[in-house]
Amino acid sequence: MSVPAYSSFAQWYSDGHLASYVRTKKSAGGIIHLLEAAQPAGDMSDPAVPDIVLYQDLHGGSRVSGDMGGGRFDARSEKGGFFLSAPRFANTVIVDAAHELRSLSFPLAQWQSILDEAAEGRFPVDYQKLCMGTFASPSIRSAIRNLWVLCDEEGAPSRLLAQAAGCEILAELCRLGGAPFAQVKGGLAPWAERRSVELLRARFSEDISLDELAAEARLSPFHFARMFKQSLGVPPRVYLTRLRVERACELLETTELPVTEIAQEVGYSSNQVLARVFIKHQHMSPTDYRRAVRDPLRVIALQ
């Protein structure tokens, strides 16, 4: 029997025999794929795919054995701990108990050039070291938790969010493997900062990518993301969210547009998504904000 070829880890989990265990899948334009699954004990092996795949065991306590690209291992998983599977490697994984996991897959077609540049010619990820069982990383755990929360708030992750989170996680994988990302010194040149902000303001309602912003500043995505944060104090994604909330406030104050139309105007898929983002940043719903700015005395009286 021939072994089916899968173009990505996301396709494998959509079409393979483990598909029925998937609870949540999120994807951002082929840049990064997120998945959450509740799986039984047994053979959890995956075919070779052209992705770096990072698994997080949400509860721990399982005995995991196999080979994920770094050689045979036999380990007890820790709560929140990670396993890494090398790209283009048909891994073998046996788990002795039911378990819940989250996975992030990074298609090499999207990430190899960033990895190569950031590692300055060194081998970027040491699969022999990192694919030999479980490992811990508070920074990756925090990045995944924040990414998942933002996805819950905003729906499918934007390309900007996915690329920024991917850079952060892969940078830590490189550091753990002994080849840390090269340091970036200084922020954006004044002209590059100005053009980047102008582009964000002009296209804040679109699913703009880190690649597009970096091209405007004539930098690689990896260097641009870090230099933008040094210049403006926040990552590009946070700056974009601020622009969207700022515009939503303006429309709530000065127009009679329904909240659903305002959500679409500022780049969110629904009024529910806008409400979640708005409450997080303004500490009230869009409807309450409109009432407050138009009749502040009435709002105060009702408090």
Side-chain angles (χ1 to χ4, degrees):
M1 181 182 294
S2 62
V3 177
Y6 294 96
S7 62
S8 69
F9 182 76
Q11 184 198 10
W12 152 245
Y13 250 103
S14 295
D15 302 339
H17 73 273
L18 300 179
S20 61
Y21 304 124
V22 175
R23 298 192 302 200
T24 306
K25 288 189 293 185
K26 299 177 185 291
S27 180
I31 295 168
I32 191 172
H33 301 284
L34 299 89
L35 177 149
E36 189 172 83
Q39 300 183 157
D43 188 343
M44 297 292 119
S45 303
D46 299 328
V49 293
D51 299 17
I52 299 172
V53 185
L54 180 67
Y55 304 87
Q56 182 182 31
D57 190 320
L58 296 181
H59 303 296
S62 300
R63 182 180 177 184
V64 185
S65 60
D67 186 347
M68 303 181 79
R72 296 289 303 177
F73 69 87
D74 190 328
R76 181 69 61 179
S77 67
E78 299 289 337
K79 181 177 181 179
F82 297 99
F83 293 84
L84 187 71
S85 184
R88 303 189 182 95
F89 183 84
N91 65 43
T92 55
V93 179
I94 307 298
V95 187
D96 76 344
H99 55 285
E100 295 183 35
L101 62 80
R102 282 178 178 169
S103 70
L104 278 76
S105 55
F106 303 85
L108 283 182
Q110 294 285 342
W111 292 99
Q112 190 63 62
S113 62
I114 292 176
L115 284 167
D116 291 341
E117 177 186 6
E120 295 187 328
R122 293 166 294 178
F123 196 70
V125 179
D126 187 345
Y127 301 112
Q128 287 294 116
K129 180 176 181 179
L130 293 178
C131 298
M132 275 295 292
T134 187
F135 62 92
S137 172
S139 62
I140 293 179
R141 186 165 59 245
S142 176
I144 292 176
R145 181 174 59 248
N146 292 338
L147 178 60
W148 209 265
V149 168
L150 287 167
C151 288
D152 287 341
E153 290 176 351
E154 302 186 17
S158 67
R159 291 188 295 168
L160 193 59
L161 170 59
Q163 287 174 309
C167 282
E168 183 179 354
I169 292 167
L170 289 176
E172 179 62 7
L173 287 177
C174 288
R175 188 193 70 79
L176 290 171
F181 272 17
Q183 294 298 312
V184 175
K185 298 180 180 179
L188 296 171
W191 69 267
E193 179 181 334
R194 182 179 66 255
R195 290 180 64 169
S196 301
V197 169
E198 287 173 352
L199 183 60
L200 281 168
R201 288 190 175 277
R203 298 179 55 191
F204 68 86
S205 64
E206 302 176 27
D207 184 18
I208 193 169
S209 71
L210 193 62
D211 292 327
E212 292 171 287
L213 287 168
E216 192 73 12
R218 302 175 191 168
L219 293 166
S220 70
F222 165 73
H223 286 100
F224 174 80
R226 293 187 168 190
M227 294 168 76
F228 186 99
K229 184 175 181 180
Q230 288 189 33
S231 291
L232 290 121
V234 294
R237 184 202 61 78
V238 174
Y239 194 90
L240 178 65
T241 299
R242 288 181 179 177
L243 291 177
R244 289 178 169 181
V245 172
E246 178 184 293
R247 177 58 175 163
C249 288
E250 180 183 342
L251 292 172
L252 289 165
E253 293 170 17
T254 62
T255 75
E256 300 299 328
L257 286 174
V259 173
T260 298
E261 291 186 27
I262 292 175
Q264 295 172 349
E265 176 76 17
V266 301
Y268 292 121
S269 59
S270 69
N271 60 331
Q272 291 90 351
V273 173
L274 173 61
R276 287 194 291 268
V277 175
F278 206 88
I279 289 170
K280 179 178 180 179
H281 291 271
Q282 298 297 116
H283 310 294
M284 64 177 72
S285 71
T287 301
D288 287 341
Y289 180 86
R290 175 173 268 166
R291 292 195 189 106
V293 296
R294 296 191 178 193
D295 191 359
L297 293 179
R298 178 175 179 271
V299 172
I300 291 172
L302 292 174
Q303 290 180 343

